[in-house]
Amino acid sequence: MNNELDKLTNNELKAYISEHRNDTSLASAALELLLSRQDPEAPVYPYSLGLNGSEHELRAVLEEKLKEVQ
């Protein structure tokens, strides 16, 4: 199975993960492969949701942006 996954592109792997999200072993294998392809030099952005109620701030910013678009 892993040899078949190696042949998939990143977009195909993402679709595969989505299609097999209820099968933990298949999705995990594909996700592990996808993550192994990451560029180690790529910037990493911190995920701050859940800290000090920032989810409310984020929601407010996103709602404001949506109003601007509409």
Side-chain angles (χ1 to χ4, degrees), residues 4-5 10-12 14 17 21 23 27-30 32 35 37 40 45-46 54 56-58 60-64 70:
E4 295 173 19
L5 291 177
N10 287 352
N11 285 337
E12 291 170 333
K14 291 174 187 177
I17 292 168
R21 65 182 170 269
D23 187 333
S28 293
E32 185 176 327
L35 291 175
R37 293 180 178 179
Y45 301 100
S54 62
H56 298 293
E57 294 173 24
L58 180 59
V61 169
L62 291 175
E63 287 175 352
E64 185 64 31
Q70 296 174 352

mmCIF file of all heavy atoms in Angstrom, residues 4-5 10-12 14 17 21 23 27-30 32 35 37 40 45-46 54 56-58 60-64 70:
data_model
loop_
_atom_site.group_PDB
_atom_site.id
_atom_site.type_symbol
_atom_site.label_atom_id
_atom_site.label_comp_id
_atom_site.label_asym_id
_atom_site.label_seq_id
_atom_site.Cartn_x
_atom_site.Cartn_y
_atom_site.Cartn_z
ATOM 1 N N GLU A 4 2.066 2.457 -3.331
ATOM 2 C CA GLU A 4 1.035 3.139 -4.108
ATOM 3 C C GLU A 4 0.898 4.589 -3.662
ATOM 4 O O GLU A 4 0.734 5.488 -4.487
ATOM 5 C CB GLU A 4 -0.302 2.422 -3.961
ATOM 6 C CG GLU A 4 -0.318 1.025 -4.540
ATOM 7 C CD GLU A 4 -1.594 0.277 -4.226
ATOM 8 O OE1 GLU A 4 -2.602 0.924 -3.886
ATOM 9 O OE2 GLU A 4 -1.592 -0.947 -4.315
ATOM 10 N N LEU A 5 0.984 4.823 -2.376
ATOM 11 C CA LEU A 5 0.875 6.182 -1.852
ATOM 12 C C LEU A 5 2.062 7.035 -2.296
ATOM 13 O O LEU A 5 1.912 8.230 -2.544
ATOM 14 C CB LEU A 5 0.777 6.175 -0.330
ATOM 15 C CG LEU A 5 -0.506 5.618 0.280
ATOM 16 C CD1 LEU A 5 -0.416 5.618 1.802
ATOM 17 C CD2 LEU A 5 -1.727 6.388 -0.184
ATOM 18 N N ASN A 10 0.889 15.506 -3.937
ATOM 19 C CA ASN A 10 0.388 16.045 -2.675
ATOM 20 C C ASN A 10 -1.122 16.280 -2.723
ATOM 21 O O ASN A 10 -1.830 15.980 -1.761
ATOM 22 C CB ASN A 10 1.113 17.340 -2.321
ATOM 23 C CG ASN A 10 2.528 17.088 -1.858
ATOM 24 O OD1 ASN A 10 2.939 15.946 -1.652
ATOM 25 N ND2 ASN A 10 3.284 18.143 -1.699
ATOM 26 N N ASN A 11 -1.613 16.809 -3.832
ATOM 27 C CA ASN A 11 -3.054 17.032 -3.947
ATOM 28 C C ASN A 11 -3.828 15.722 -3.940
ATOM 29 O O ASN A 11 -4.900 15.629 -3.353
ATOM 30 C CB ASN A 11 -3.388 17.834 -5.201
ATOM 31 C CG ASN A 11 -3.031 19.295 -5.048
ATOM 32 O OD1 ASN A 11 -2.940 19.806 -3.942
ATOM 33 N ND2 ASN A 11 -2.813 19.971 -6.155
ATOM 34 N N GLU A 12 -3.276 14.711 -4.590
ATOM 35 C CA GLU A 12 -3.920 13.400 -4.592
ATOM 36 C C GLU A 12 -3.903 12.783 -3.189
ATOM 37 O O GLU A 12 -4.865 12.140 -2.773
ATOM 38 C CB GLU A 12 -3.230 12.466 -5.592
ATOM 39 C CG GLU A 12 -3.460 12.864 -7.036
ATOM 40 C CD GLU A 12 -2.601 12.090 -8.016
ATOM 41 O OE1 GLU A 12 -1.505 11.618 -7.645
ATOM 42 O OE2 GLU A 12 -3.025 11.973 -9.182
ATOM 43 N N LYS A 14 -3.962 14.486 -0.383
ATOM 44 C CA LYS A 14 -4.977 15.205 0.393
ATOM 45 C C LYS A 14 -6.371 14.665 0.099
ATOM 46 O O LYS A 14 -7.184 14.489 1.008
ATOM 47 C CB LYS A 14 -4.905 16.701 0.095
ATOM 48 C CG LYS A 14 -3.657 17.361 0.623
ATOM 49 C CD LYS A 14 -3.560 18.806 0.179
ATOM 50 C CE LYS A 14 -2.229 19.411 0.561
ATOM 51 N NZ LYS A 14 -2.094 20.793 0.082
ATOM 52 N N ILE A 17 -6.696 11.258 1.795
ATOM 53 C CA ILE A 17 -6.932 11.414 3.229
ATOM 54 C C ILE A 17 -8.392 11.771 3.477
ATOM 55 O O ILE A 17 -9.033 11.225 4.372
ATOM 56 C CB ILE A 17 -5.987 12.472 3.825
ATOM 57 C CG1 ILE A 17 -4.543 11.963 3.788
ATOM 58 C CG2 ILE A 17 -6.392 12.831 5.249
ATOM 59 C CD1 ILE A 17 -3.504 13.027 4.079
ATOM 60 N N ARG A 21 -10.968 9.290 5.606
ATOM 61 C CA ARG A 21 -10.848 9.890 6.934
ATOM 62 C C ARG A 21 -11.430 9.019 8.041
ATOM 63 O O ARG A 21 -11.058 9.159 9.199
ATOM 64 C CB ARG A 21 -11.481 11.274 6.956
ATOM 65 C CG ARG A 21 -12.980 11.281 6.732
ATOM 66 C CD ARG A 21 -13.511 12.711 6.734
ATOM 67 N NE ARG A 21 -14.884 12.760 6.306
ATOM 68 C CZ ARG A 21 -15.288 12.933 5.061
ATOM 69 N NH1 ARG A 21 -14.392 13.111 4.111
ATOM 70 N NH2 ARG A 21 -16.562 12.954 4.753
ATOM 71 N N ASP A 23 -11.102 5.717 8.135
ATOM 72 C CA ASP A 23 -10.212 4.573 8.308
ATOM 73 C C ASP A 23 -8.874 5.098 8.830
ATOM 74 O O ASP A 23 -8.039 5.594 8.072
ATOM 75 C CB ASP A 23 -10.015 3.837 6.978
ATOM 76 C CG ASP A 23 -9.237 2.551 7.138
ATOM 77 O OD1 ASP A 23 -8.424 2.446 8.082
ATOM 78 O OD2 ASP A 23 -9.444 1.646 6.309
ATOM 79 N N ALA A 27 -5.712 6.697 6.541
ATOM 80 C CA ALA A 27 -5.538 8.145 6.600
ATOM 81 C C ALA A 27 -4.226 8.507 7.281
ATOM 82 O O ALA A 27 -3.527 9.428 6.853
ATOM 83 C CB ALA A 27 -6.717 8.789 7.319
ATOM 84 N N SER A 28 -3.868 7.780 8.332
ATOM 85 C CA SER A 28 -2.625 8.068 9.052
ATOM 86 C C SER A 28 -1.406 7.823 8.177
ATOM 87 O O SER A 28 -0.454 8.607 8.199
ATOM 88 C CB SER A 28 -2.528 7.212 10.310
ATOM 89 O OG SER A 28 -3.512 7.582 11.230
ATOM 90 N N ALA A 29 -1.421 6.747 7.419
ATOM 91 C CA ALA A 29 -0.289 6.452 6.540
ATOM 92 C C ALA A 29 -0.124 7.539 5.484
ATOM 93 O O ALA A 29 0.993 7.988 5.211
ATOM 94 C CB ALA A 29 -0.495 5.098 5.875
ATOM 95 N N ALA A 30 -1.229 7.975 4.909
ATOM 96 C CA ALA A 30 -1.165 9.022 3.888
ATOM 97 C C ALA A 30 -0.733 10.348 4.499
ATOM 98 O O ALA A 30 0.069 11.089 3.908
ATOM 99 C CB ALA A 30 -2.512 9.159 3.198
ATOM 100 N N GLU A 32 1.085 10.801 7.199
ATOM 101 C CA GLU A 32 2.510 10.694 7.544
ATOM 102 C C GLU A 32 3.383 10.937 6.314
ATOM 103 O O GLU A 32 4.380 11.655 6.379
ATOM 104 C CB GLU A 32 2.785 9.314 8.131
ATOM 105 C CG GLU A 32 4.192 9.140 8.632
ATOM 106 C CD GLU A 32 4.402 7.790 9.288
ATOM 107 O OE1 GLU A 32 3.461 7.268 9.906
ATOM 108 O OE2 GLU A 32 5.523 7.267 9.161
ATOM 109 N N LEU A 35 3.193 14.691 5.374
ATOM 110 C CA LEU A 35 3.990 15.514 6.281
ATOM 111 C C LEU A 35 5.488 15.315 6.065
ATOM 112 O O LEU A 35 6.269 16.247 6.256
ATOM 113 C CB LEU A 35 3.614 15.222 7.731
ATOM 114 C CG LEU A 35 2.217 15.676 8.152
ATOM 115 C CD1 LEU A 35 1.915 15.216 9.569
ATOM 116 C CD2 LEU A 35 2.087 17.182 8.037
ATOM 117 N N ARG A 37 6.917 15.047 3.353
ATOM 118 C CA ARG A 37 7.308 15.798 2.151
ATOM 119 C C ARG A 37 7.462 17.288 2.406
ATOM 120 O O ARG A 37 7.858 18.032 1.518
ATOM 121 C CB ARG A 37 6.263 15.601 1.051
ATOM 122 C CG ARG A 37 6.204 14.181 0.533
ATOM 123 C CD ARG A 37 5.161 14.064 -0.535
ATOM 124 N NE ARG A 37 5.101 12.721 -1.092
ATOM 125 C CZ ARG A 37 4.255 12.349 -2.030
ATOM 126 N NH1 ARG A 37 3.384 13.228 -2.521
ATOM 127 N NH2 ARG A 37 4.247 11.123 -2.473
ATOM 128 N N PRO A 40 11.710 21.328 5.208
ATOM 129 C CA PRO A 40 12.132 21.656 6.570
ATOM 130 C C PRO A 40 12.482 23.128 6.749
ATOM 131 O O PRO A 40 12.514 23.630 7.863
ATOM 132 C CB PRO A 40 13.356 20.764 6.804
ATOM 133 C CG PRO A 40 13.790 20.311 5.471
ATOM 134 C CD PRO A 40 12.610 20.405 4.554
ATOM 135 N N TYR A 45 4.116 28.868 11.354
ATOM 136 C CA TYR A 45 3.334 29.904 12.002
ATOM 137 C C TYR A 45 2.650 29.324 13.229
ATOM 138 O O TYR A 45 2.054 28.254 13.165
ATOM 139 C CB TYR A 45 2.299 30.466 11.029
ATOM 140 C CG TYR A 45 2.939 31.050 9.795
ATOM 141 C CD1 TYR A 45 2.986 30.340 8.602
ATOM 142 C CD2 TYR A 45 3.540 32.296 9.842
ATOM 143 C CE1 TYR A 45 3.603 30.865 7.479
ATOM 144 C CE2 TYR A 45 4.162 32.833 8.721
ATOM 145 C CZ TYR A 45 4.185 32.109 7.549
ATOM 146 O OH TYR A 45 4.799 32.635 6.450
ATOM 147 N N PRO A 46 2.743 30.014 14.345
ATOM 148 C CA PRO A 46 2.132 29.487 15.570
ATOM 149 C C PRO A 46 0.609 29.474 15.470
ATOM 150 O O PRO A 46 0.013 30.327 14.820
ATOM 151 C CB PRO A 46 2.608 30.461 16.645
ATOM 152 C CG PRO A 46 2.945 31.711 15.924
ATOM 153 C CD PRO A 46 3.378 31.299 14.543
ATOM 154 N N SER A 54 -8.596 33.891 22.325
ATOM 155 C CA SER A 54 -8.303 34.517 21.036
ATOM 156 C C SER A 54 -9.243 34.049 19.932
ATOM 157 O O SER A 54 -9.331 34.684 18.887
ATOM 158 C CB SER A 54 -6.850 34.272 20.636
ATOM 159 O OG SER A 54 -6.611 32.899 20.479
ATOM 160 N N HIS A 56 -12.371 34.242 19.940
ATOM 161 C CA HIS A 56 -13.390 35.282 19.777
ATOM 162 C C HIS A 56 -12.843 36.439 18.946
ATOM 163 O O HIS A 56 -13.556 37.010 18.116
ATOM 164 C CB HIS A 56 -13.861 35.783 21.143
ATOM 165 C CG HIS A 56 -14.504 34.717 21.968
ATOM 166 N ND1 HIS A 56 -15.710 34.142 21.624
ATOM 167 C CD2 HIS A 56 -14.113 34.096 23.097
ATOM 168 C CE1 HIS A 56 -16.033 33.228 22.514
ATOM 169 N NE2 HIS A 56 -15.072 33.167 23.423
ATOM 170 N N GLU A 57 -11.597 36.781 19.169
ATOM 171 C CA GLU A 57 -10.960 37.834 18.388
ATOM 172 C C GLU A 57 -10.851 37.417 16.923
ATOM 173 O O GLU A 57 -11.130 38.208 16.029
ATOM 174 C CB GLU A 57 -9.571 38.145 18.940
ATOM 175 C CG GLU A 57 -9.582 38.742 20.326
ATOM 176 C CD GLU A 57 -8.180 38.886 20.894
ATOM 177 O OE1 GLU A 57 -7.208 38.961 20.106
ATOM 178 O OE2 GLU A 57 -8.063 38.916 22.122
ATOM 179 N N LEU A 58 -10.455 36.194 16.696
ATOM 180 C CA LEU A 58 -10.323 35.693 15.335
ATOM 181 C C LEU A 58 -11.675 35.687 14.634
ATOM 182 O O LEU A 58 -11.796 36.090 13.483
ATOM 183 C CB LEU A 58 -9.723 34.288 15.335
ATOM 184 C CG LEU A 58 -9.532 33.637 13.980
ATOM 185 C CD1 LEU A 58 -8.622 34.478 13.101
ATOM 186 C CD2 LEU A 58 -8.977 32.239 14.132
ATOM 187 N N ALA A 60 -14.215 37.617 15.229
ATOM 188 C CA ALA A 60 -14.591 38.995 14.946
ATOM 189 C C ALA A 60 -13.866 39.514 13.703
ATOM 190 O O ALA A 60 -14.468 40.181 12.854
ATOM 191 C CB ALA A 60 -14.289 39.880 16.149
ATOM 192 N N VAL A 61 -12.585 39.206 13.591
ATOM 193 C CA VAL A 61 -11.804 39.639 12.426
ATOM 194 C C VAL A 61 -12.355 38.997 11.158
ATOM 195 O O VAL A 61 -12.550 39.662 10.133
ATOM 196 C CB VAL A 61 -10.309 39.305 12.611
ATOM 197 C CG1 VAL A 61 -9.542 39.490 11.319
ATOM 198 C CG2 VAL A 61 -9.713 40.137 13.724
ATOM 199 N N LEU A 62 -12.629 37.699 11.213
ATOM 200 C CA LEU A 62 -13.142 37.000 10.042
ATOM 201 C C LEU A 62 -14.525 37.507 9.642
ATOM 202 O O LEU A 62 -14.814 37.674 8.452
ATOM 203 C CB LEU A 62 -13.186 35.495 10.290
ATOM 204 C CG LEU A 62 -11.818 34.817 10.388
ATOM 205 C CD1 LEU A 62 -11.976 33.351 10.767
ATOM 206 C CD2 LEU A 62 -11.054 34.951 9.105
ATOM 207 N N GLU A 63 -15.388 37.762 10.615
ATOM 208 C CA GLU A 63 -16.721 38.295 10.306
ATOM 209 C C GLU A 63 -16.618 39.664 9.659
ATOM 210 O O GLU A 63 -17.366 39.980 8.714
ATOM 211 C CB GLU A 63 -17.577 38.342 11.576
ATOM 212 C CG GLU A 63 -18.033 36.975 12.043
ATOM 213 C CD GLU A 63 -18.773 37.004 13.350
ATOM 214 O OE1 GLU A 63 -18.837 38.063 14.020
ATOM 215 O OE2 GLU A 63 -19.298 35.925 13.740
ATOM 216 N N GLU A 64 -15.701 40.487 10.129
ATOM 217 C CA GLU A 64 -15.492 41.806 9.540
ATOM 218 C C GLU A 64 -15.011 41.691 8.100
ATOM 219 O O GLU A 64 -15.492 42.393 7.214
ATOM 220 C CB GLU A 64 -14.478 42.605 10.378
ATOM 221 C CG GLU A 64 -14.294 44.023 9.889
ATOM 222 C CD GLU A 64 -15.534 44.880 10.008
ATOM 223 O OE1 GLU A 64 -16.341 44.659 10.941
ATOM 224 O OE2 GLU A 64 -15.718 45.760 9.153
ATOM 225 N N GLN A 70 -18.700 40.966 1.046
ATOM 226 C CA GLN A 70 -20.090 40.925 0.585
ATOM 227 C C GLN A 70 -20.518 42.286 0.227
ATOM 228 O O GLN A 70 -20.849 43.001 -0.364
ATOM 229 C CB GLN A 70 -21.003 40.382 1.667
ATOM 230 C CG GLN A 70 -20.670 38.959 1.985
ATOM 231 C CD GLN A 70 -21.475 38.443 3.183
ATOM 232 O OE1 GLN A 70 -22.158 39.195 3.854
ATOM 233 N NE2 GLN A 70 -21.382 37.162 3.439
#
